[in-house]
Amino acid sequence: MHGNDSRDVPKRRDLAAEYTEFAQLAGGLAHEIRNPLSTIRMNLELLSEDVEESDDPRLRRMTRKLDRIRNECLHLEEILTAFLQFARAGELQLETIEIGDLVQDFIDIYRPQAERQRVTLIPHLAANLPPVQIDPRLIRQVLTNLTLNAEQAMPDGGQIEFQTFSSNGQVCLALIDTGKGISEAARAKLFDVFFSTKPGGSGLGLPTARKIVEAHGGTITCESEPGKGTRFVVTLPAAE
């Protein structure tokens, strides 16, 4: 048993070093892109103000074009943010906590946004589960990404059920929606980087969730059927 542990330590250290290097490169790249992007946005704001104050109809028609460019800049910033989340998903700051407490806190914070989208959040959280050793910030990111994914699958509203339970010595979190479901072809690519079924989607939300879960030594799976909703299950090792 101790032999296996000693062999695993260098692998974990190598992986941690790779994550750190990748995160540093990604952070530098994002910084280099974000600075000129911020300058572009600022100048677009100034141009829009000048155009709006003009009486020239031709200039005023330019407002729509400027708004379109500004929206594309915002979209690029959203992609950058999602990319940074993906890049930093392996940087863990572990704490030993009860998963149900984290999920309930997330639901309490997210509920107002869900209600605006006519989505009901339903907790079914088991008591007395073993604690887990996780990075709370990153697992909250997993919850956010999965909940947003479910919400987008229910444009007319619906329900998202959160379940926690134990199975084979593992602590499990299931998120079940009443949305339109996912086809088998799309499900096969669901965790591929930059794959998205939504127009304008970054294609990084679910890959980031998977990367975070796997960095914790866990797994994430998806079951779905078109017209019958979707079920994601995150499995995490119980804390020793």
Side-chain angles (χ1 to χ4, degrees), residues 106 110-111 113-122 143-162 175-182 197-198 224-232:
F106 171 81
Y110 198 92
R111 197 184 301 277
Q113 177 177 330
E115 288 174 349
R116 286 194 292 273
Q117 303 299 322
R118 293 171 293 169
V119 172
T120 303
L121 306 183
I122 304 171
L143 285 166
T144 299
N145 291 4
L146 292 179
T147 304
L148 281 171
N149 190 74
E151 197 176 273
Q152 290 163 354
M154 300 183 293
D156 300 320
Q159 295 181 346
I160 304 175
E161 182 180 348
F162 296 80
L175 191 146
I176 307 160
D177 68 55
T178 57
K180 56 189 177 183
I182 307 167
T197 59
K198 299 177 286 292
S224 187
E225 188 175 338
K228 295 187 177 180
T230 300
R231 180 176 187 255
F232 283 93

Side-chain angles (χ1 to χ4, degrees), residues 42-56 59-60 62-63 66 70:
M42 182 181 68
N43 280 280
L44 283 170
E45 296 284 350
L46 295 173
L47 276 171
S48 294
E49 289 174 9
D50 291 343
V51 169
E52 286 169 3
E53 291 171 3
S54 172
D55 293 327
D56 186 335
L59 288 178
R60 293 184 66 82
M62 287 176 59
T63 303
L66 290 171
R70 191 166 48 192

Side-chain angles (χ1 to χ4, degrees), residues 182-190 224-226:
I182 307 167
S183 70
E184 186 176 349
R187 201 161 64 249
K189 300 179 180 179
L190 210 53
S224 187
E225 188 175 338

Side-chain angles (χ1 to χ4, degrees), residues 171-218:
V171 176
C172 304
L173 162 65
L175 191 146
I176 307 160
D177 68 55
T178 57
K180 56 189 177 183
I182 307 167
S183 70
E184 186 176 349
R187 201 161 64 249
K189 300 179 180 179
L190 210 53
F191 295 105
D192 290 355
V193 176
F194 299 125
F195 172 77
S196 178
T197 59
K198 299 177 286 292
S202 70
L204 287 168
L206 292 178
T208 299
R210 183 178 69 172
K211 189 175 178 184
I212 290 171
V213 171
E214 290 181 349
H216 283 82

